Amino acid sequence: MDGNENRQIARDSLFVMADLRLPGSNDEHRIKVRNLSAGGMMGEGAVRVSRGDEVEIKIRNVGWVAGSVAWVQDDRFGVAFRDEIDPKIARASVASDSTVSPLHRPAPREERALRKI
């Protein structure tokens, strides 16, 4: 695919925080993910990357994703993922009903007792 064909790939506009690290370094940099597709993302942050750099990004609900920097403009950059992801997973709620503490889960209606006041 050439650059014009890449622009036709569906992207989800969103705003989530992610962690980025450069291979060979244990340092993690907090970045903003501005849009996300199965094949890549646009990030924004104070981390200095160059075109061609290999990076790893920890995306919410997806985990660590490897890729390479495709372009850089000011504090924004594009990353082409090594393997495709499902971008809808990153949009999903972080907590599910199974992770809610039983102390904070309301009892079913038929089990609730009336309180005297």
Side-chain angles (χ1 to χ4, degrees):
M1 270 194 272
D2 68 21
N4 289 333
E5 289 171 327
N6 274 343
R7 299 298 300 162
Q8 302 307 314
I9 296 172
R11 291 181 299 278
D12 258 348
S13 233
L14 75 158
F15 175 84
V16 295
M17 299 303 288
D19 294 315
L20 177 141
R21 66 181 174 207
L22 299 164
S25 172
N26 289 330
D27 295 339
E28 293 181 7
H29 306 274
R30 201 77 170 140
I31 62 167
K32 299 170 189 167
V33 176
R34 295 291 187 177
N35 65 46
L36 184 66
S37 72
M41 58 163 266
M42 179 178 73
E44 179 180 354
V47 62
R48 295 293 160 231
V49 294
S50 298
R51 187 169 186 249
D53 284 353
E54 296 293 319
V55 294
E56 295 174 326
I57 298 113
K58 186 176 183 183
I59 300 172
R60 178 179 85 175
N61 294 335
V62 175
W64 287 102
V65 179
S68 60
V69 176
W71 58 267
V72 178
Q73 185 175 10
D74 300 323
D75 62 347
R76 291 184 179 203
F77 53 92
V79 175
F81 297 146
R82 184 178 304 151
D83 299 308
E84 287 192 351
I85 65 163
D86 183 352
K88 292 181 181 143
I89 294 173
R91 214 178 248 292
S93 172
V94 175
S96 67
D97 285 342
S98 62
T99 61
V100 175
S101 165
L103 298 175
H104 296 99
R105 185 177 295 147
R109 227 177 229 292
E110 57 274 1
E111 292 179 17
R112 285 190 210 163
L114 296 175
R115 277 187 325 142
K116 290 189 178 186
I117 51 173

